Amino acid sequence: MWNATKTSDLKASRRRHGPRALLLVTALVCTGLAVPHTATATTAAPAAAAVGYEAESAQVHLGAVATDHAGFTGTGFVDYTNVVGSHVEFTVDAARAGDTALTLRFANGTTTDRPMDITVNGTTVATGLSFPSTGTWTGWQTRTLTAALAAGQNTVRATATTANGGPNLDSLTVGTPSAVTDWSTAMTDSTMARYTPTTIGGWSYPVGLYLYGQYLTYQRTHDPAYLSYIKSYVDRFVDANGVINQSFNSLDSMQAGRLLVILHHETGQQRYATAAKTVRDRLDTYPRTAEGGFWHADTSSRAHQLWADGVYMVNPFLVEYGKEFHDSAYADDEAAKQLAVYGSHLQVAGGLLKHAWDESRTAAWSDPTTGLAPEHWCRAVGWYSMAIVDVLDAIPADAPRRPQLLTILRKLATGLERTQDPATGRWFQIMDKGDRSDNWTETSCSSMFTYALSRGAQQGYVDRHFTAVAQRGYQGVLAKVSLGADGLTNLADITIGTNVGDYAYYAARTRATNDFHGLGAFLIMNEQLRGARKS
């Protein structure tokens, strides 16, 4: 959910002169795992080049240097003995006193966390610091904290706190990491360079999804150009009196309604409230299944059908509308009901959801007995995963359907962990058939699952170990983004808009670059993993 703090009066940031190829940030790519500073504060030292120290060259107590798992740096890594108190101690130099980033590179191929205490010169700076599962012993990741170093020589010790010992430890990097790209701003700048608010496309859910991600980036950066762009797009469709030229005869057409709520929140202009109420009021007459689930569209070809996609198209809008316009009593209950009804039909054994369900059993794709579509298409499941987390963020703790939604999400998280590709960290287009040669890992759904698991673990909806699953997904998605020769970002392997079909249909879908489904999901994921989303 977007932060409800009004930001229209924030001071303007610097003027933009086009897309930035590289933006410096003082965080690792895995910022989602950053640890709060716990050491005694000192004057911050000027940034210096990072210096690496190999674990195999440090002092090792109750551990051994090993080389049996690929991907390490230097000549090996330290394999901790599985006892409390096993540790590795580094001797490091600092040109001056001050707070300094300490980055530990590790691998943990078990499913059990292997926490460690970190001390600097005998003072504990992190207690029980989590080193969660990395999936495999070759799934190297990093953990960063900030601590005060003294000028000259320092000792940094990482000590296991449980009988499981520590993770495999590869190295310690001292100092600010090398500059990395702020992919949210780079991607937003690139998209704004490619399209104006007029040429980006019509009123649609893919554009609405992308612009919602742009808004999250605006909330962090406070760059007025980002919000102005969104407003210019919406103003193409909403006149001065709040009349919006849309019929809202499908759930897809409602998703961009989130932008109406955002703009009312940011500007206070009544016309956006009027336009948003048009979407809300359409739900009063919108067709439903016998249990009250919204049809995917008010057309004969979608009659009586629930598509997993649909829950994201309307329910995040609903709860945000309810909060902004004091209609939460209806909106929260309706959104929770929709997710519960959809989940009760679409979720099957193992936790994953089928793409769609037909109450009438007349659609060509529906099973005559169950009414279900034949496959677990990844983006349909991704839509549902994001929607259920967003709605849980919004509804009251004592909401009647909250336990049911938590059960659905926890089963889904288990299914996501099981079907994550161990080689890439991403998820397959047809989720449970990753062993087929024509199947492929898809970027938009991988972003969606990464977001949902990270947010779910952060909020306590799912077990904390899913943070590590999300981190593997994050690294997998980042492998699909790059900078072109023109300095603009490119995000690859995004499936284009997709209907319900069979395996061959999904596998043959076009694998696009910079499709808005992927750009929007990426921005939502990236802002969550950067730590910008607040509880």
Side-chain angles (χ1 to χ4, degrees):
M1 296 279 291
W2 48 273
N3 190 331
T5 303
K6 191 170 180 66
T7 54
S8 58
D9 59 347
L10 290 168
K11 63 181 180 181
S13 62
R14 57 181 171 72
R15 183 180 302 276
R16 296 190 171 275
H17 298 285
R20 297 173 301 243
L22 290 172
L23 299 166
L24 304 185
V25 295
T26 56
L28 289 180
V29 168
C30 64
T31 302
L33 288 177
V35 179
H37 170 52
T38 56
T40 302
T42 65
T43 303
V51 178
Y53 297 85
E54 294 294 336
E56 66 270 20
S57 301
Q59 293 185 23
V60 179
H61 176 68
L62 297 177
V65 176
T67 59
D68 55 333
H69 298 300
F72 57 83
T73 59
T75 59
F77 57 86
V78 172
D79 183 354
Y80 277 70
T81 302
N82 293 346
V83 295
V84 175
S86 51
H87 68 252
V88 176
E89 183 175 285
F90 300 86
T91 300
V92 304
D93 292 315
R96 57 185 65 83
D99 288 352
T100 305
L102 304 177
T103 301
L104 294 157
R105 188 171 190 261
F106 74 99
N108 178 5
T110 70
T111 59
T112 303
D113 193 7
R114 293 177 177 242
M116 298 199 289
D117 288 345
I118 311 299
T119 63
V120 174
N121 300 326
T123 299
T124 301
V125 297
T127 301
L129 181 60
S130 174
F131 286 84
S133 171
T134 58
T136 67
W137 290 109
T138 58
W140 298 97
Q141 293 184 14
T142 54
R143 201 74 162 92
T144 300
L145 67 156
T146 302
L149 296 186
Q153 196 171 83
N154 297 262
T155 58
V156 178
R157 179 182 290 187
T159 304
T161 61
T162 73
N164 293 318
N168 285 352
L169 190 61
D170 184 40
S171 64
L172 168 68
T173 300
V174 178
T176 303
S178 300
V180 296
T181 303
D182 180 341
W183 287 116
S184 290
T185 55
M187 190 170 290
T188 299
D189 291 343
S190 296
T191 306
M192 290 170 60
R194 289 183 170 116
Y195 306 99
T196 68
T198 302
T199 63
I200 196 170
W203 182 268
S204 70
Y205 76 87
V207 177
L209 177 74
Y210 163 74
L211 290 176
Y212 176 75
Q214 179 166 311
Y215 178 68
L216 296 181
T217 308
Y218 163 76
Q219 284 196 300
R220 173 171 59 85
T221 64
H222 313 310
D223 190 318
Y226 292 169
L227 185 62
S228 176
Y229 187 102
I230 296 169
K231 185 177 184 300
S232 294
Y233 166 80
V234 171
D235 287 352
R236 292 168 48 199
F237 309 99
V238 179
D239 71 15
N241 296 316
V243 175
I244 183 168
N245 58 348
Q246 304 294 317
S247 60
F248 300 112
N249 285 329
S250 70
L251 299 184
D252 286 352
S253 66
M254 300 178 186
Q255 192 281 333
R258 298 180 87 175
L259 305 178
L260 303 172
V261 180
I262 286 168
L263 289 174
H264 179 267
H265 183 76
E266 292 292 341
T267 70
Q269 294 181 19
Q270 178 60 34
R271 60 175 174 152
Y272 300 119
T274 301
K277 192 172 187 299
T278 302
V279 184
R280 156 66 183 89
D281 289 348
R282 177 67 177 95
L283 296 177
D284 292 340
T285 59
Y286 196 82
R288 299 170 181 250
T289 65
E291 295 169 291
F294 293 133
W295 292 4
H296 192 63
D298 189 3
T299 61
S300 59
S301 64
R302 303 290 185 264
H304 311 287
Q305 296 174 20
L306 307 181
W307 294 22
D309 323 38
V311 293
Y312 191 81
M313 302 305 157
V314 67
N315 294 303
F317 160 79
L318 253 183
V319 293
E320 290 162 7
Y321 178 93
K323 183 174 184 178
E324 182 72 10
F325 302 109
H326 311 291
D327 193 19
S328 291
Y330 160 75
D332 291 353
D333 183 67
E334 183 72 86
K337 174 183 177 179
Q338 293 301 318
L339 282 157
V341 170
Y342 275 66
S344 69
H345 288 290
L346 296 174
Q347 191 170 48
V348 298
L352 299 182
L353 282 71
K354 294 290 188 177
H355 187 170
W357 174 76
D358 179 15
E359 182 179 43
S360 68
R361 312 297 199 271
T362 59
W365 46 259
S366 67
D367 183 281
T369 301
T370 67
L372 288 169
E375 300 293 349
H376 302 289
W377 176 50
C378 70
R379 192 160 67 223
V381 184
W383 290 123
Y384 190 96
S385 71
M386 290 203 301
I388 196 169
V389 169
D390 285 356
V391 170
L392 283 168
D393 277 354
I395 63 176
D398 60 352
R401 292 187 176 88
R402 191 178 189 88
Q404 182 181 0
L405 298 189
L406 287 170
T407 297
I408 293 171
L409 176 59
R410 288 164 183 167
K411 290 179 179 178
L412 174 56
T414 299
L416 295 180
E417 184 175 22
R418 187 184 69 255
T419 54
Q420 186 179 36
D421 179 23
T424 66
R426 298 185 294 273
W427 281 266
F428 286 93
Q429 171 83 330
I430 304 92
M431 297 183 66
D432 59 337
K433 296 180 171 64
D435 56 343
R436 298 199 184 183
S437 60
D438 58 345
N439 204 354
W440 46 284
T441 58
E442 200 277 332
T443 303
S444 68
C445 77
S446 296
S447 298
M448 293 172 173
F449 296 145
T450 296
Y451 163 77
L453 293 174
S454 174
R455 184 67 177 174
Q458 179 188 26
Q459 297 290 79
Y461 307 147
V462 298
D463 188 82
R464 288 290 299 174
H465 88 271
F466 285 104
T467 298
V469 182
Q471 281 292 327
R472 292 195 293 277
Y474 189 42
Q475 297 300 323
V477 173
L478 289 176
K480 289 296 182 179
V481 63
S482 61
L483 290 168
D486 56 2
L488 304 183
T489 59
N490 291 302
L491 186 65
D493 288 345
I494 306 162
T495 189
I496 59 174
T498 298
N499 292 319
V500 183
D502 58 13
Y503 177 92
Y505 169 75
Y506 294 120
R509 297 303 286 164
T510 299
R511 299 163 67 167
T513 297
N514 297 330
D515 184 280
F516 289 121
H517 297 86
L519 297 182
F522 180 94
L523 291 175
I524 293 169
M525 172 202 71
N526 202 50
E527 289 306 296
Q528 166 64 27
L529 271 290
R530 286 182 57 91
R533 301 294 299 281
K534 305 301 182 185
S535 299

